[in-house]
Amino acid sequence: MWRAIHRLGSPAIFYAVAGRLQPWCWALAIALLLAGSLWGLVWAPADYQQGDSVRILYVHVPTALLAQSVFVLLAAAGGVFLVWRIKLADMLAAAIAPFGALMTLLALVSGALWGLPTWGTWWVWDARLTSMLIQLFLYLGVIALRGAYTAAESGARASALLALVGVVNVPIIKFSVDWWQTLHQAATFSLVRPPSMPASMWLPLLVMVAGFYAFFVALALTRTRSEILRRESRTRWVRERVARTTGKAAR
């Protein structure tokens, strides 16, 4: 198994494997997002207290979950790069960091839109909201550090270190509702208790969450392949692949 994982760490092999998986991931993501959007935003019932404003959760919950998951993956990739010097891990980190920042921003904006009719204000210095804002700054710091150094490897190490340090904020986001008195409601999904909403509402939410994660996987594969081509442009296998692609296009 370790040999297979180490083999997949080769940019050339990952590029080929990702190319085969990519179309299936995009197709799955589009199907799930279309189904979840229609089900949640059109057919699902309104909440008896929040009314139609509850539909914001069909975007807010997936983006908030992804914002945290992507940062954990970012830290894991940074750790792999720092310990084993696997350059593919750094390529993955560079590819997914902007997406994680975007998901964090969308989670904050959608949360504000939901909070205005629910709490009567678009922002409070709630523990969950504040820790999510800190995560956005951490994402921006990771992205900025990568480009702040003349030597690319120094920037990669600095951003990986910040990701490893910043990942401690993820459990704070997760458990802030339990640790402190906050306005934010408890988690919608839990492994230890049933959902707090009827199946007609949490099932489309589950489809949307799956769709967002499938979209992330598809985008990560696509962006990592582009990053591989950019960094490995001088290698023989990339030149041969480009030559084959150019030859096919010419024919």
Side-chain angles (χ1 to χ4, degrees):
M1 183 178 117
W2 285 110
R3 178 177 291 183
I5 293 175
H6 189 269
R7 192 165 174 268
L8 190 61
S10 165
I13 293 176
F14 180 88
Y15 185 90
V17 173
R20 291 193 291 269
L21 294 176
Q22 200 175 296
W24 296 99
C25 292
W26 279 115
L28 179 63
I30 292 171
L32 288 173
L33 287 174
L34 282 176
S37 298
L38 288 173
W39 195 355
L41 302 180
V42 179
W43 298 323
D47 184 72
Y48 75 100
Q49 287 182 321
Q50 302 176 35
D52 283 322
S53 65
V54 76
R55 300 186 193 279
I56 298 172
L57 294 182
Y58 293 109
V59 174
H60 175 68
V61 171
T63 54
L65 289 174
L66 259 181
Q68 298 167 65
S69 300
V70 173
F71 203 93
V72 172
L73 179 58
L74 187 66
V80 169
F81 173 71
L82 289 174
V83 175
W84 290 288
R85 292 292 191 271
I86 297 178
K87 57 184 178 181
L88 180 63
D90 183 58
M91 295 177 188
L92 175 65
I96 65 176
F99 179 80
L102 178 61
M103 290 297 102
T104 308
L105 179 61
L106 287 177
L108 288 168
V109 171
S110 59
L113 293 174
W114 175 80
L116 188 59
T118 305
W119 298 338
T121 180
W122 65 275
W123 180 267
V124 291
W125 290 103
D126 176 273
R128 173 66 62 84
L129 273 67
T130 304
S131 53
M132 279 295 288
L133 181 62
I134 291 172
Q135 180 166 289
L136 177 60
F137 292 149
L138 286 169
Y139 268 120
L140 296 178
V142 167
I143 296 170
L145 272 178
R146 182 173 294 279
Y149 290 80
T150 304
E153 187 172 350
S154 298
R157 285 199 301 267
S159 62
L161 283 171
L162 180 57
L164 284 171
V165 173
V167 77
V168 300
N169 188 55
V170 174
I172 295 175
I173 297 172
K174 171 66 177 173
F175 297 109
S176 58
V177 177
D178 303 318
W179 291 345
W180 296 288
Q181 293 288 335
T182 69
L183 287 174
H184 203 284
Q185 68 185 56
T188 303
F189 296 119
S190 174
L191 296 176
V192 297
R193 63 177 182 270
S196 57
M197 57 177 62
S200 59
M201 298 176 71
W202 68 258
L203 280 174
L205 179 57
L206 189 61
V207 173
M208 283 294 282
V209 169
F212 267 82
Y213 272 89
F215 176 72
F216 164 65
V217 172
L219 190 66
L221 292 176
T222 303
R223 286 182 54 83
T224 303
R225 292 180 88 229
S226 298
E227 188 71 14
I228 289 172
L229 289 181
R230 186 182 70 82
R231 296 196 194 185
E232 302 283 293
S233 59
R234 297 180 182 275
T235 60
R236 180 179 177 181
W237 73 269
V238 171
R239 292 200 301 267
E240 290 176 351
R241 181 174 288 273
V242 170
R244 288 197 301 269
T245 304
T246 305
K248 289 179 181 178
R251 289 197 295 271

